Amino acid sequence: MERARVSRFARRLLSEWGRRGWPAAGERTVVAVSGGADSTALLLALEELLRAGRLDLRLTVAHLDHGLRGERGAEDARRVAEQARSLGYKVVMGHAAVGELASAARDNLEQAARRARYEFLARAAREGSARVVLAAHTLDDQAETVLLRLLRGSGAEGLGGIRPERMLEGTDEVLLLRPLLGWARRADTEGYCRERGVEARADEMNADERFARVRVRRTLLPLLETFNPRVAETLARTADLLSEDARALELEAARLLEAAHDDRVAESETPRGARPVRADVLAAAPRALRRRALRQWLARGRGDLRRLESVHVAAVEKLLEGERNGRVVELPGGASVERRRGRLFFTGKRKIEKGAP
């Protein structure tokens, strides 16, 4: 029997899926759909491949209203729900007050929205027994991310950009996959939506130049294209190369951290899983590995690296110098690192006793 023909966009998606070796049969899969062209194109292409028998996934569509756009955000949610149900898919809807979350956590809106989005997707995956979540980041998103991180002075790990595959934050077993990241441009997703006769929703915040990402998209990338018309592809290729380098260094840093751990220290002095580390072992290592090992160690102690900047890691690194003990570095959120007996000790935020000054 001749297999049903599918569109070029869907063929490219299937090719990427196969190249990555991603699960293609029987998996319960959550698709994050905002209603914009990128996520709508991803959903429609998956539907096309499923209908043609090229993939065998059990899809759930997930949409989060970030609470930033009032009635327009609510209308996006209604349109996504209607479209998903018309295709025969289950829909999970959520709402978040991102503005309030940003104020409470002293984050910017983009960071708060990202955190709320992934927390919502993790809940949707757990409640739906899904082991895969799909997000519709494109090659343009990758190029913008690399430029933003370059402007902020990121190292190889940051310049590695968005990863096509990783574990979803807040879960141990759910994969976050980005099937459009390595090949789809924004023009491709918009063109495919038109081809399918679907009008994608437009988010006016994507044109608000108060956001750095929007200025990069609308000003910096077009300027760079006058030097290299394929600059987005070039930046994405650079990100892939740096990401491979960063992963290799992270593995070596993990080995260094294991070698520096001191198991002779009492368990009561090892809060939150950050065992004390020997200063001499870390100090003797190359700087690139030493800094990565310290970041891994701090992440274990704090639970994450939010609000931890390179200046904080550099201050902790200074504790490795010389032989003087008793020095302390304060970290964002109330944690600290102290050098004692030739070792670094991580201390979590201290609770203030009632009645204490």
Side-chain angles (χ1 to χ4, degrees):
M1 181 185 297
E2 184 179 350
R3 303 187 75 178
R5 297 186 63 182
V6 296
S7 66
R8 181 174 182 272
F9 188 91
R11 287 199 307 273
R12 294 193 70 183
L13 173 60
L14 184 63
S15 175
E16 178 73 358
W17 201 280
R19 185 176 74 85
R20 297 281 183 185
W22 288 339
E27 285 288 352
R28 170 62 66 186
T29 302
V30 173
V31 189
V33 180
S34 68
D38 298 341
S39 59
T40 299
L42 175 59
L43 176 62
L44 293 173
L46 288 168
E47 183 270 339
E48 185 180 353
L49 292 171
L50 291 171
R51 183 162 34 86
R54 304 294 186 91
L55 285 177
D56 177 21
L57 305 173
R58 294 177 294 153
L59 295 187
T60 295
V61 173
H63 174 88
L64 179 67
D65 180 353
H66 295 85
L68 295 171
R69 300 172 55 242
E71 181 53 35
R72 288 186 63 83
E75 178 61 22
D76 287 352
R78 286 192 290 270
R79 289 281 295 276
V80 169
E82 289 171 4
Q83 181 182 57
R85 289 175 183 136
S86 72
L87 295 173
Y89 301 131
K90 178 182 176 181
V91 186
V92 177
M93 310 299 288
H95 185 277
V98 167
E100 296 175 15
L101 293 172
S103 297
R106 291 184 293 176
D107 276 344
N108 62 43
L109 282 177
E110 187 176 21
Q111 290 172 329
R114 178 186 182 279
R115 191 167 63 254
R117 184 163 56 252
Y118 287 122
E119 288 174 356
F120 164 70
L121 291 173
R123 286 196 304 273
R126 284 194 299 268
E127 293 170 5
S129 301
R131 296 199 304 167
V132 176
V133 170
L134 304 180
H137 295 90
T138 65
L139 191 144
D140 291 280
D141 293 313
Q142 182 73 294
E144 292 161 12
T145 297
V146 172
L147 286 174
L148 283 166
R149 293 180 180 178
L150 182 63
L151 292 170
R152 293 167 185 160
S154 295
E157 184 177 14
L159 295 178
I162 306 170
R163 294 183 181 182
E165 175 181 342
R166 65 172 176 80
M167 297 307 295
L168 181 64
E169 294 170 17
T171 72
D172 296 323
E173 298 179 345
V174 180
L175 278 174
L176 175 64
L177 308 180
R178 297 179 170 105
L180 307 183
L181 186 68
W183 60 275
R185 300 294 305 271
R186 203 158 283 128
D188 296 324
T189 62
E190 292 170 351
Y192 180 63
C193 287
R194 286 193 298 271
E195 181 183 324
R196 291 291 301 269
V198 173
E199 182 180 356
R201 300 289 292 174
D203 184 346
E204 63 275 9
M205 294 181 72
N206 287 331
D208 188 343
E209 296 200 11
R210 289 177 298 175
F211 296 106
R213 181 175 289 274
V214 176
R215 294 198 301 276
V216 165
R217 180 181 305 148
R218 293 165 65 96
T219 303
L220 184 53
L221 267 173
L223 175 62
L224 292 175
E225 285 173 347
T226 66
F227 293 88
N228 177 358
R230 295 181 61 82
V231 68
E233 289 86 350
T234 300
L235 288 167
R237 185 167 61 251
T238 298
D240 284 343
L241 294 171
L242 288 172
S243 183
E244 290 175 6
D245 292 348
R247 281 196 294 271
L249 287 169
E250 285 295 311
L251 288 173
E252 289 302 311
R255 294 189 182 102
L256 170 62
L257 188 58
E258 190 60 32
H261 279 144
D262 192 339
D263 292 323
R264 294 173 298 174
V265 178
E267 188 173 341
S268 61
E269 296 185 82
T270 60
R272 302 182 67 174
R275 291 181 288 165
V277 288
R278 291 175 50 187
D280 60 337
V281 173
L282 291 175
R287 189 181 186 194
L289 292 181
R290 182 169 66 233
R291 286 208 166 183
R292 280 175 170 77
L294 285 173
R295 284 175 60 85
Q296 291 180 15
W297 184 68
L298 292 170
R300 292 178 188 179
R302 299 174 80 244
D304 57 46
L305 292 173
R306 284 183 53 232
R307 296 173 56 204
L308 196 74
E309 300 177 2
S310 58
V311 65
H312 301 120
V313 180
V316 173
E317 188 180 23
K318 290 283 286 184
L319 297 178
L320 302 175
E321 298 177 359
E323 298 182 0
R324 185 165 65 86
N325 294 305
R327 291 172 288 160
V328 179
V329 170
E330 302 290 341
L331 300 173
S336 64
V337 176
E338 181 179 2
R339 175 168 172 150
R340 302 197 309 267
R341 308 194 301 274
R343 298 164 179 81
L344 299 189
F345 289 79
F346 179 90
T347 303
K349 184 176 182 180
R350 294 184 177 86
K351 293 182 179 179
I352 300 176
E353 300 294 336
K354 291 183 178 180

